[in-house]
Amino acid sequence: MKGLNKVIFKTALKTVLAVIIAFILALIILCFGFPRTTADICQSFGNYSLAASFSSLNYKYYGDVDDLYACANYSILSKDDKKIISYCKQFADDERFEDYCADKDGVKQWVLSNLSAAQYRRGDKEGALKTAESSLAGSNGFPSGNAVVSLTIEVGKAMDKQTATALKEFLDGANVVPSADEQATFDNVMKILTTVINHQGE
C-alpha cells in the first residue's frame, strides 16, 4: 500500500511539474514572441511600466512608430520619471515624430509636456527648457497643454528664478500670439514666471 501511495505521489508530482514547466514556457513564448499582446495585458492590469517595456521590445522587433508612442504613453501613465525621459525622448527625437503627431490631436503636447516636466524634476533644467521651447516650434500660438505650461508649473513649485527667467526670455522673444482661447493660459504662465522672478525669498 505504501509503495502504491509513493507511485501515486511521484506521478502527481511529475504532472504538477510538467504543468508548471508548460506554463512557464507558454509565458516566455507570449512575452518574447508576442510583446505587443503582452503589453496590452500588462496595461489592462494597470502595470504601465511593464507595458512600456514590452512595447519597447516590440519596437525593437518591428520598428513601428506606433510602438514608440505606446512606450511614451505607458511611461507617462507609470509616473516613472526615468522611463518618461527615456521613452518620450526616444519618441520625440525620432524623425517620424512630427508627422505622426500631425493628425493626432494633443499627442505632441502630451508627450513633450510630460517629458519637459520629468527632465526638470530629474535635474536636467537645460533639457527641460529645450523640450519646452520645441513644443511651440511651428506655431505662433500657445497650444493647449504645451510643455511651457508644464515646465512653468514645476518652476513655480521650486521658485526657481534662473529657469523662470530663461523661460520668460524665451517667450518674450518667441513672438507668441495666443488665440482668444489660449490667452488666459498664456497670461497665467507669464504671471507665474514674473512672480517667481520677483520673489524676494531665499
Side-chain angles (χ1 to χ4, degrees), residues 163-185:
T163 307
T165 300
L167 195 53
K168 187 173 183 299
E169 286 177 352
F170 162 70
L171 289 173
D172 287 340
N175 296 319
V176 177
V177 183
S179 68
D181 292 337
E182 300 164 348
Q183 189 66 55
T185 301

Side-chain angles (χ1 to χ4, degrees), residues 29-48:
I29 291 171
L30 175 65
C31 290
F32 294 98
F34 305 94
R36 180 177 285 179
T37 300
T38 308
D40 290 341
I41 293 172
C42 289
Q43 72 87 23
S44 69
F45 285 100
N47 194 330
Y48 300 113

Side-chain angles (χ1 to χ4, degrees), residues 18-189:
V19 170
I20 292 173
I21 291 170
F23 175 77
I24 291 172
L25 288 174
L27 193 60
I28 291 171
I29 291 171
L30 175 65
C31 290
F32 294 98
F34 305 94
R36 180 177 285 179
T37 300
T38 308
D40 290 341
I41 293 172
C42 289
Q43 72 87 23
S44 69
F45 285 100
N47 194 330
Y48 300 113
S49 182
L50 267 182
S53 297
F54 282 113
S55 294
S56 178
L57 180 60
N58 204 68
Y59 176 70
K60 289 177 182 177
Y61 286 172
Y62 303 108
D64 190 337
V65 70
D66 281 325
D67 290 315
L68 272 185
Y69 171 61
C71 289
N73 190 45
Y74 289 144
S75 70
I76 292 167
L77 294 174
S78 77
K79 300 180 181 179
D80 183 329
D81 282 345
K82 285 186 177 180
K83 284 187 180 291
I84 292 171
I85 292 169
S86 176
Y87 291 129
C88 287
K89 193 170 190 315
Q90 183 183 12
F91 182 37
D93 288 345
D94 190 273
E95 61 183 8
R96 297 165 292 180
F97 177 69
E98 291 291 343
D99 287 341
Y100 183 86
C101 296
D103 60 347
K104 294 175 178 61
D105 188 44
V107 168
K108 177 179 178 179
Q109 302 306 333
W110 167 249
V111 172
L112 294 182
S113 63
N114 281 280
L115 173 57
S116 182
Q119 288 172 316
Y120 185 84
R121 288 192 294 264
R122 297 293 298 181
D124 183 9
K125 295 182 180 181
E126 183 178 347
L129 277 167
K130 287 182 178 178
T131 299
E133 291 169 6
S134 71
S135 73
L136 299 187
S139 171
N140 290 327
F142 202 67
S144 176
N146 68 73
V148 172
V149 175
S150 64
L151 181 55
T152 297
I153 292 171
E154 297 298 327
V155 168
K157 290 177 183 176
M159 295 304 289
D160 178 358
K161 291 186 181 184
Q162 183 178 2
T163 307
T165 300
L167 195 53
K168 187 173 183 299
E169 286 177 352
F170 162 70
L171 289 173
D172 287 340
N175 296 319
V176 177
V177 183
S179 68
D181 292 337
E182 300 164 348
Q183 189 66 55
T185 301
F186 180 78
D187 290 344
N188 284 334
V189 163

